[in-house]
Amino acid sequence: MGRPKTYQRDAMVAEAMQLFWLHGFEATTTQMLVERLGINRFSLYAEFGSKQGLYEASLDRYDQDVVAHHFGPLERPGAGLCEIEGLLAFFASKGRAPGSHYGCLLCNVAVERAPHDLASHARVERYVSRISCALQSALQTALERGELAANVEVATLAAGLTATFLGLFVLLRAQTDPAILHDAAAAAIAQLRSLGATAAAEAQPPYP
Amino acid sequence: MGRPKTYQRDAMVAEAMQLFWLHGFEATTTQMLVERLGINRFSLYAEFGSKQGLYEASLDRYDQDVVAHHFGPLERPGAGLCEIEGLLAFFASKGRAPGSHYGCLLCNVAVERAPHDLASHARVERYVSRISCALQSALQTALERGELAANVEVATLAAGLTATFLGLFVLLRAQTDPAILHDAAAAAIAQLRSLGATAAAEAQPPYP
DNA sequence: CTAGTTTCTAACTGCTCGTTCCGTTATTGT
DNA sequence: ACAATAACGGAACGAGCAGTTAGAAACTAG
């Protein structure tokens, strides 16, 4: 039934994702997409309808592949403090490393397009909810295991770590001084460990 | 000597800053600049040389005005924990407030342009250094006053708060759920207060 | 083989971009 | 008054943009 396609949709989305990740939506041109993906414009529009369509497919792919790869371990039932600390240490070690200037695609999208594009906004909202829930789940497990003091507010702490991760992604993207990146993660790890020490159980009045 | 200018350079930069702040560099067109600034293209290029020149002037103005307005209080000698907590609470209260989707211009630039533009990169590096030093200065004062336990590593904690602030700016920009924004700031404030309690003085082995 | 269907190639469409140029207008020193 | 000077308004530039189209090419069902 007709001439067969010379491309595979999945491979196209994977390549497009790299371009949007590195350059953002506006700075990624159809010319760049056509050259990188090795296909023609016609097929691109036949398959995705528009640059925006390919962009949205790229965001969904990023969530399924990259976010799942890094935050998936936190979503698994057995995950606790160890996995959170490991992830913080992992990102902290990447300061100015090759490829680190990609940052996090969905964090980049949150800044570049979420305020102006509904599709981007929805995916960023889902993303923030996902990593914050993943963190909360791991913290809850840690609390039940006694790795955290019983009076720790896991939802609040998860939100704090979510902001910390986003901050790390900005620092990675901007290729700033790796020392700050390292120290930022070290501070978060130190906070987690201090909340495990029984000493921390002396409750502070929570901020409203 | 010749016809006088009908514009004031300072007012032009202030207006341009708003546009770059809201839309970023790529999405801000010369047409938008000409209309918003109320001047003609010729004057724009005579005064700034290029869109990039006006952009760089806008970044410098942002650092001098907006960053100074919010982080200046932390840089003053008397500043301590109170000022840091106040700033966290201030940004946390702005979730989905009118204008909050502007986020922070230099955080936006860190994501959109710092990896690809040298001028942006330099200003972001200076910005991160500025807010991290401002925080460290206030933390040091707090430590000397006894608001923080003596064994607190102020440099590490300052880096952690820097990442937290950048994370808050991303969340503001993306107009996500205000509850996460609020909780993220609450977690940082709780951390600061717990480090003041003598209980926290039981040293944790620092993360390397 | 052939008719029908689908993809591919590559030129092309308006359109908008950042930037430049030119004739006009307003001001100043003499 | 009158050049000289400098900014004004607007048109125009080439380049590059997202998206389209027409015809050639490749496959399959019958």
Side-chain angles (χ1 to χ4, degrees), chain A residues 2-3 5-7 40 42-43:
Chain A
R3 183 171 175 171
K5 299 177 181 181
T6 58
Y7 60 86
N40 52 71
F42 177 88
S43 301

Side-chain angles (χ1 to χ4, degrees), chain B residues 1 13 25 31 35 50 67 77 88 99 161 182 196:
Chain B
M1 301 170 179
V13 176
F25 178 81
Q31 187 61 33
E35 285 171 10
S50 64
V67 178
L88 284 165
L161 288 167
H182 175 274

Side-chain angles (χ1 to χ4, degrees), chain A residues 106-122:
Chain A
L106 278 161
C107 176
N108 301 349
V109 164
V111 169
E112 187 204 354
R113 292 256 297 165
H116 310 291
D117 174 51
L118 205 63
S120 298
H121 176 83

